[in-house]
Every structure is written in structure tokens, then in C-alpha cells.
Amino acid sequence: MNHAKIARPKVTISPADLTNLYRASCEHCAWTAGPTAKSHLQQVEAPLHRQAHRVGRVPVTR
């Protein structure tokens, strides 16, 4: 299914709690990831989700 494509999707990574874990969230849909290590979000989860928006694999809901 084709959805709107976003050239520069915005995924925000922020602290989840006081135990050095982080969460990622998308400004274009309800996707979230974590809590996990910040490096995992930066290197794996966020890039995969951004790519999905770039090619229109996920719906834009916001």
C-alpha cells in the first residue's frame, strides 16, 4: 500500500526514565520504540522507521 512520502521524517529520541533508557517517537505517526539503549535507537530503530516514511510504507497520521 502506498502512503504519503516524507523526504525528511522527524524521529525524536528522549530519555524514558532515570535508568539511562531512551524512547523514540515519530512526529508523523503513532510509532514509538523503546525503552532501550540510546545507541540502538539511533543506529537501528529510528533509521528503519525514517526509511519507511521516505518510501511510503507507513501511513502519515499527524
Side-chain angles (χ1 to χ4, degrees), residues 9-58:
K10 177 79 171 165
V11 172
T12 303
I13 298 173
S14 56
D17 53 30
L18 299 176
T19 60
N20 294 327
L21 296 177
Y22 290 80
R23 290 189 186 278
S25 61
C26 181
E27 291 189 4
H28 309 288
C29 68
W31 175 86
T32 61
T36 189
K38 185 176 184 179
S39 60
H40 178 73
L41 293 172
Q42 291 173 326
Q43 297 171 11
V44 179
E45 300 287 344
L48 289 173
H49 188 72
R50 287 184 188 111
Q51 183 60 27
H53 271 302
R54 285 187 192 109
V55 298
R57 278 196 315 260
V58 293

